[in-house]
Amino acid sequence: MPVNLQKYVALLLLFYGLLSSWGCHSTRYLEQGQYLLQSQPQVKSEGKIKKSELQAAIRIKPNRKILFRRTFLHIYNFGISLQRDSSFVKRQLLKLPKLKRAFDKTTNWFIHELGEPPVILDLEAIRRDSANLYNTCFALGYLRPQVHYHIDTLMKSWAHQRARLTFEVKEGKPFKISQLTYDIPDASLLQAYGVERSHLRVGLNYSHELFTRERVRATQALRDAGYFTFSQKMIRFEVDTTLAVAADSLDYVPTGVAVVVDEIPPRFTVRRIVISMKAPSDAVDLREAFKDTLRGAALSAERRAMLRISQKKLHDSLAITFVVTSTIIREINYNFIGRRVHLREGELYSLSAAQLTHRRLQELGMFQYAMINYEIVDSDALDVYINMQLAAHYQVKAGFEAFTDQVTTGTNLPSVGANFTLRNKNTLGQSELLDWNAGGNVGFYAPEEESGQLSNIFYEFGTSLNMYIPRLLIPVFGNRNSGQFSPSTSLNASFRLENLREYNRLSTGAKLTYKWFHNSLSRKTFSQFTPVSLDFIRIAQIDSAFQKNIIDKLPLTFQRDYQPRFSSRLAYSFTHSNYQSTRLIPTYFFRLNAEIGGNLPQLIDRFTQGRGGDQSASDNKLFDRFFYAQYAKLSVEGKYYKPLTEGSELVLRAIAGYSRAYGSTLVVPQESRFFSGGTNSMRGWQSNTLGPGRASLSDFTNETGINASLAAPGGEILLELNAELRFDLISYLEMALFTDVGNVWFNKTRAQKANISEASVFSGKNLVPGWDAGLGFRFDFSFLVLRFDIGQQLYAPDRGWVINRLFNEPLLRSTQINLGIGYPF
């Protein structure tokens, strides 16, 4: 396979060269007087505005390139050449109808889909971009800019009919706010406007974006204060540029700004809140339903008893009118729904309260929809109508999945599987979601080096039970205001079986997790806290050859990874992100994880010392049978997505982690270590096989090969940097150029006691990362992104520079093929 792969790469490069030469001159089909845009138009300015902002205003783009060639233009010219070819052979062949249809379809695909016509300099487009540059300067506070353009026709023989375009921008003096007044005659309206929170400040540049942000902020503040009918159009900004008496001596133009609100709308009070709840659309007895209006204070004891509505479900103090069908009366806890309504009868209307109400009702998951409508019933009063329809009580999901994060087989190939989920909505009457999930997947081991063929399969099967509760089940957070931050509690129990060629791994776990958001109206920042996470791991049916050749040759500390283990963890996670799947604005992602493990079994071990056969509390064995480990772990991850053009972006990721064993534990357990290498990590290595440090697998097992990769130890310290340039080729195909740098290490302090090789520890001598680079293709089918990456090792910590001997060893040893689902990060 490696030899064949080298041939395929050579043929691909040969085809690329032939295509480029066949496409011939980029300008071969241009008419007289037409000029091909040679490169990205440049902008020369006085430096007062960021060059990137000016560059973004230019819509003219040159033809796209791959490896410094106008590949898509060459494909277009290639298609045109085929169409215009009038050779005798072509005329004879196209006499066959089937061949002619195939020929026409292929050439049309080259020209209209895969190819790209030449970008010709057009005066109308240039004037349009000049206007865009002028408007950009104006919007940023430079109200009198000058924009000129210059076309440089290249006279060299190789650049026939090509030209470069340059824009020259003179921003002039910026207009700065030197005087700020507020013309708002009503005192209540002025107070609600919140002058002290205004985005406008004396000394700031005049800016359209600044005024837009101020309009949005002020409108939100006024509608929060009861001005229900207030809109952004009611705010005017009057700009006075006549203040420039001595402007010539200043480096800016002083400008006066007056904020004017002419119309004074009334403040609205919420008179009544009505919640209308309909039964699920698939309810079999809906035709027999009759409507009841329920209001806690107005419901008589007799009526309550007849409808079987307990005080627990509809408290007398709940000042909301419910209109429901009798089919769902006994299913809903109305107090629970009422606590998610943040508008109050008799109080001023608030837009923020309405938005929070809608979001908290919608995120419960028990309603198909939740809509809020309003009716003005008086000059200063309105009724609020919240219409909701219950979703079906039970929901069944089944489907196929693909997994690319294989941590057990050393393969970078995806496995495929199926899953089944049964969901019970509103389990206990307060929108609890109870999920039972069962699923499994099947995958292949990495190719054998000799045959190059996939051999053996592995499979996994698991089942879990998860209860989602939309509130915190702890008294300290049970106050009335915590609900604004959408707190939730998750209870989880799981079982998983991994059937590998070398052994079976059985894991059973239970976990309690709390989650809450840090802002009532934003989903950018949230935290998760797991006070209890318990796992029992057991390795069974170990292959005798794997036991003899791999496990028995590991240091004793690492042999524990294949013994029955009991794990307990306490963890916290903080996430802040504004990530959007768009290439219009820069987005980012940040996550911090912290955990501490092993304290619970240590306490049990100490308590049971001398009882039940447990002889020691310092041997890291619970009941002298189950290993456990005490450790602390911290990791941070950051991602940055930077749009470059309309169809390209640069993605950067950095991840760092540190963990350390303490107490009687010498090494962090396998399930909590860091690993590097694989489809979503260092793509020049097989899954988890990079490192630790300068060590190789033979330093741990004295064996190499596929089996030995299962014993890859990982590390306690992780550093990894990834960069990827993504750009569109055609509508459904994307290309990426990437590079990865990183490695893992063990702590030096306990390495000698754990019998860890010196080459594996974190030290100045071993601070050598692996480095790879590669090329990838992504097929975007809207519902699925299929990824194919080829990663080439450039520097391997255990072998040095790989590129020096790239053609003197099997290609598969230093080149890794990655097939994955979705983006790597």
Short mmCIF file of all heavy atoms in Angstrom, two decimals, residues 478-499:
data_model
loop_
_atom_site.label_atom_id
_atom_site.label_comp_id
_atom_site.label_asym_id
_atom_site.label_seq_id
_atom_site.Cartn_x
_atom_site.Cartn_y
_atom_site.Cartn_z
N GLY A 478 -31.62 27.21 45.71
CA GLY A 478 -33.06 27.14 45.50
C GLY A 478 -33.76 28.47 45.61
O GLY A 478 -34.96 28.52 45.80
N ASN A 479 -33.05 29.61 45.52
CA ASN A 479 -33.69 30.90 45.61
C ASN A 479 -34.43 31.23 44.32
O ASN A 479 -34.19 30.66 43.28
CB ASN A 479 -32.65 31.98 45.94
CG ASN A 479 -31.56 32.05 44.89
OD1 ASN A 479 -31.77 32.61 43.83
ND2 ASN A 479 -30.40 31.48 45.19
N ARG A 480 -35.26 32.23 44.36
CA ARG A 480 -36.14 32.55 43.23
C ARG A 480 -35.39 33.15 42.05
O ARG A 480 -35.84 33.07 40.92
CB ARG A 480 -37.23 33.53 43.68
CG ARG A 480 -36.68 34.80 44.28
CD ARG A 480 -37.78 35.70 44.79
NE ARG A 480 -38.58 36.20 43.69
CZ ARG A 480 -39.57 37.05 43.84
NH1 ARG A 480 -39.91 37.47 45.04
NH2 ARG A 480 -40.26 37.47 42.79
N ASN A 481 -34.23 33.76 42.30
CA ASN A 481 -33.52 34.40 41.20
C ASN A 481 -32.63 33.46 40.40
O ASN A 481 -32.21 33.78 39.31
CB ASN A 481 -32.66 35.56 41.74
CG ASN A 481 -33.52 36.67 42.34
OD1 ASN A 481 -34.58 36.98 41.82
ND2 ASN A 481 -33.06 37.25 43.44
N SER A 482 -32.28 32.32 40.97
CA SER A 482 -31.37 31.42 40.26
C SER A 482 -31.99 30.89 38.97
O SER A 482 -31.28 30.53 38.04
CB SER A 482 -30.97 30.24 41.16
OG SER A 482 -32.10 29.44 41.45
N GLY A 483 -33.32 30.85 38.89
CA GLY A 483 -33.98 30.34 37.71
C GLY A 483 -33.71 31.16 36.46
O GLY A 483 -33.85 30.66 35.34
N GLN A 484 -33.31 32.42 36.61
CA GLN A 484 -33.02 33.25 35.44
C GLN A 484 -31.84 32.72 34.66
O GLN A 484 -31.68 33.03 33.48
CB GLN A 484 -32.73 34.68 35.90
CG GLN A 484 -33.89 35.36 36.60
CD GLN A 484 -33.55 36.77 37.03
OE1 GLN A 484 -32.51 37.30 36.64
NE2 GLN A 484 -34.41 37.38 37.82
N PHE A 485 -30.99 31.93 35.30
CA PHE A 485 -29.78 31.45 34.65
C PHE A 485 -29.93 30.01 34.16
O PHE A 485 -28.95 29.32 33.94
CB PHE A 485 -28.61 31.58 35.62
CG PHE A 485 -28.42 32.98 36.13
CD1 PHE A 485 -28.88 33.36 37.37
CD2 PHE A 485 -27.82 33.94 35.32
CE1 PHE A 485 -28.73 34.66 37.81
CE2 PHE A 485 -27.66 35.23 35.75
CZ PHE A 485 -28.12 35.61 37.01
N SER A 486 -31.17 29.57 34.00
CA SER A 486 -31.49 28.26 33.43
C SER A 486 -30.68 27.13 34.06
O SER A 486 -29.98 26.39 33.37
CB SER A 486 -31.27 28.28 31.91
OG SER A 486 -32.07 29.26 31.31
N PRO A 487 -30.75 26.98 35.37
CA PRO A 487 -30.00 25.88 36.00
C PRO A 487 -30.64 24.54 35.70
O PRO A 487 -31.84 24.44 35.43
CB PRO A 487 -30.08 26.21 37.50
CG PRO A 487 -31.40 26.92 37.63
CD PRO A 487 -31.56 27.72 36.36
N SER A 488 -29.84 23.49 35.74
CA SER A 488 -30.37 22.15 35.50
C SER A 488 -29.52 21.13 36.24
O SER A 488 -28.37 21.39 36.61
CB SER A 488 -30.39 21.81 34.01
OG SER A 488 -29.07 21.83 33.48
N THR A 489 -30.12 19.97 36.46
CA THR A 489 -29.45 18.85 37.12
C THR A 489 -29.58 17.62 36.23
O THR A 489 -30.65 17.36 35.69
CB THR A 489 -30.08 18.57 38.49
OG1 THR A 489 -30.01 19.75 39.29
CG2 THR A 489 -29.35 17.44 39.21
N SER A 490 -28.49 16.89 36.09
CA SER A 490 -28.51 15.65 35.30
C SER A 490 -28.03 14.50 36.17
O SER A 490 -27.00 14.60 36.84
CB SER A 490 -27.61 15.77 34.07
OG SER A 490 -28.12 16.71 33.17
N LEU A 491 -28.80 13.42 36.14
CA LEU A 491 -28.42 12.18 36.81
C LEU A 491 -28.22 11.13 35.73
O LEU A 491 -29.08 10.92 34.88
CB LEU A 491 -29.51 11.73 37.78
CG LEU A 491 -29.86 12.72 38.91
CD1 LEU A 491 -31.15 12.29 39.61
CD2 LEU A 491 -28.72 12.80 39.90
N ASN A 492 -27.07 10.44 35.77
CA ASN A 492 -26.73 9.53 34.69
C ASN A 492 -26.19 8.23 35.24
O ASN A 492 -25.39 8.22 36.18
CB ASN A 492 -25.69 10.17 33.76
CG ASN A 492 -25.22 9.24 32.67
OD1 ASN A 492 -24.26 8.51 32.85
ND2 ASN A 492 -25.91 9.25 31.55
N ALA A 493 -26.63 7.12 34.65
CA ALA A 493 -26.07 5.79 34.94
C ALA A 493 -25.79 5.12 33.60
O ALA A 493 -26.59 5.22 32.66
CB ALA A 493 -27.04 4.96 35.76
N SER A 494 -24.65 4.44 33.48
CA SER A 494 -24.26 3.90 32.18
C SER A 494 -23.52 2.58 32.33
O SER A 494 -22.94 2.28 33.38
CB SER A 494 -23.39 4.90 31.43
OG SER A 494 -22.18 5.14 32.13
N PHE A 495 -23.55 1.83 31.24
CA PHE A 495 -22.77 0.58 31.13
C PHE A 495 -22.24 0.50 29.72
O PHE A 495 -22.94 0.82 28.75
CB PHE A 495 -23.64 -0.64 31.43
CG PHE A 495 -22.96 -1.94 31.07
CD1 PHE A 495 -22.02 -2.51 31.92
CD2 PHE A 495 -23.25 -2.57 29.87
CE1 PHE A 495 -21.38 -3.69 31.57
CE2 PHE A 495 -22.61 -3.75 29.52
CZ PHE A 495 -21.67 -4.32 30.38
N ARG A 496 -20.98 0.06 29.57
CA ARG A 496 -20.39 -0.04 28.24
C ARG A 496 -19.46 -1.24 28.17
O ARG A 496 -18.68 -1.50 29.09
CB ARG A 496 -19.62 1.23 27.88
CG ARG A 496 -19.21 1.26 26.41
CD ARG A 496 -18.94 2.66 25.93
NE ARG A 496 -18.94 2.74 24.47
CZ ARG A 496 -20.01 2.90 23.73
NH1 ARG A 496 -21.20 3.01 24.29
NH2 ARG A 496 -19.93 2.97 22.40
N LEU A 497 -19.56 -1.96 27.04
CA LEU A 497 -18.70 -3.11 26.75
C LEU A 497 -17.92 -2.81 25.49
O LEU A 497 -18.49 -2.49 24.45
CB LEU A 497 -19.53 -4.38 26.57
CG LEU A 497 -18.80 -5.58 25.93
CD1 LEU A 497 -17.69 -6.08 26.86
CD2 LEU A 497 -19.77 -6.69 25.60
N GLU A 498 -16.58 -2.93 25.57
CA GLU A 498 -15.71 -2.78 24.40
C GLU A 498 -15.07 -4.14 24.14
O GLU A 498 -14.32 -4.64 24.96
CB GLU A 498 -14.63 -1.73 24.65
CG GLU A 498 -15.17 -0.36 24.99
CD GLU A 498 -14.06 0.58 25.44
OE1 GLU A 498 -13.05 0.66 24.73
OE2 GLU A 498 -14.22 1.21 26.49
N ASN A 499 -15.39 -4.72 22.98
CA ASN A 499 -14.87 -6.03 22.61
C ASN A 499 -13.75 -5.83 21.61
O ASN A 499 -13.99 -5.55 20.43
CB ASN A 499 -15.98 -6.90 22.02
CG ASN A 499 -15.52 -8.32 21.76
OD1 ASN A 499 -14.73 -8.56 20.86
ND2 ASN A 499 -16.03 -9.24 22.55
#
